[in-house]
Amino acid sequence: MLTLDTAQGRWRIADAERKLALRGALPGAFGFDRAAAGFAEARRAGARFDDLVAAAMPTSWMVNNRATSQVFQHWLSAPLGEVWAGLAEVLAQDRGWAGLDPETRALVAQTVDRLATQGHGLAAISKVLASLAGESVPLCDDAAVWWALGAVARPESPDTPQAPTKLFGPMLDWFAAAAEADAEALAALASAARGVRLSGPQVLDRLMWFESYGWQLMTRGARWWWVDDGRVQGVVESVEGPAGAPWRRDKIVLAAVDDEAWRRAARDALYGA
């Protein structure tokens, strides 16, 4: 059971294996995970980042990157093509972001800012880098930034991301610290993942998506609910809401729920009983 410090409070990730499986079965996520594993294998075989970046850009469409092919053309043209390759190579080193000194981190942040174009910033750039340097770079949708840092408003939709590139460094700081704090549990989840090769940090990235936004998309069968027990928050599964209440995307404070049976079931799910 993972428990993380987020901008929304102490957050407990219950039923992580099931959440990973649900996410991984989505067509885009399914393809993205296998592409990322393929890029890692290509790197081990000596492939150049100059070549991998070009493939990573359309791959990012599988995780809903809103950048267009015209933006990719701009990014791949001189001199930015070499900038992208160098950036991916730095972030994909053994310890990635966590192993960079402050001066190099500042340079990386400046480089990311330079790449922002035509209204495409943190989300679009991170979705390309995440397939090449997933141990360092998570998918930085606005929902993930809201959840982890509280630096943007909680989005109604993922379609118009607004988070600026200045949050690249803070997001990677948070991600590196969280991945290190729960390294053992994340590694165990990665080992248990079926049909795809994931690292511990990649598991954290996938769970971030589910906890911050993805649970709202799971509409088949049981629904998911964001609950707050006072000590911790989390997303739990239930067929119905309290006393048959309609599903909602907002937080449910359990102390305010009159339906004792539902409240008890939600707590049991949150704590893994």
Side-chain angles (χ1 to χ4, degrees):
M1 187 77 68
L2 297 168
T3 304
L4 305 170
D5 288 316
T6 75
Q8 311 314 314
R10 193 79 168 141
W11 198 282
R12 195 170 179 85
I13 301 182
D15 211 0
E17 287 189 21
R18 175 161 166 72
K19 290 171 178 176
L20 286 170
L22 286 170
R23 176 213 161 268
L26 297 172
F30 183 91
F32 181 83
D33 289 349
R34 281 150 186 79
F39 291 147
E41 190 63 35
R43 293 203 315 267
R44 287 189 286 269
R48 291 159 44 91
F49 278 94
D50 310 59
D51 300 319
L52 295 180
V53 164
M57 288 187 184
T59 293
S60 69
W61 281 334
M62 288 192 286
V63 283
N64 299 316
N65 195 346
R66 299 298 169 183
T68 64
S69 54
Q70 287 83 4
V71 171
F72 294 162
Q73 182 181 36
H74 173 65
W75 278 341
L76 291 170
S77 300
L80 293 184
E82 291 184 1
V83 172
W84 267 101
L87 179 62
E89 186 167 6
V90 167
L91 290 169
Q93 293 179 37
D94 285 345
R95 295 197 63 226
W97 180 260
L100 300 181
D101 58 65
E103 183 178 350
T104 305
R105 287 188 179 192
L107 181 59
V108 166
Q110 291 170 13
T111 302
V112 169
D113 189 59
R114 178 183 173 190
L115 294 173
T117 184
Q118 299 179 39
H120 297 287
L122 179 60
I125 294 168
S126 72
K127 289 183 179 188
V128 176
L129 291 172
S131 66
L132 298 174
E135 286 70 37
S136 289
V137 186
L139 301 176
C140 297
D141 284 296
D142 279 11
V145 177
W146 161 79
W147 186 74
L149 302 181
V152 297
R154 184 187 181 202
E156 294 286 335
S157 160
D159 295 340
T160 54
Q162 302 295 319
T165 52
K166 69 179 182 180
L167 297 175
F168 183 82
M171 275 298 290
L172 267 61
D173 287 342
W174 183 92
F175 186 71
E180 183 177 357
D182 281 300
E184 187 174 339
L186 291 169
L189 287 166
S191 296
R194 296 180 180 180
V196 65
R197 288 167 291 169
L198 296 173
S199 67
Q202 286 175 316
V203 166
L204 175 60
D205 174 45
R206 278 57 172 170
L207 290 172
M208 281 174 57
W209 174 82
F210 196 102
E211 300 294 308
S212 65
Y213 188 82
W215 63 276
Q216 301 171 56
L217 305 179
M218 303 297 162
T219 58
R220 293 185 179 181
R223 296 301 303 259
W224 295 82
W225 308 78
W226 171 18
V227 299
D228 184 348
D229 189 36
R231 291 173 293 174
V232 295
Q233 301 176 57
V235 172
V236 301
E237 187 177 23
S238 172
V239 175
E240 295 181 336
W247 177 84
R248 56 195 255 197
R249 70 188 295 268
D250 298 319
K251 179 170 63 177
I252 297 175
V253 177
L254 294 181
V257 173
D258 294 329
D259 185 338
E260 182 179 351
W262 194 90
R263 186 173 65 243
R264 183 168 56 249
R267 284 199 176 108
D268 286 348
L270 185 59
Y271 292 102

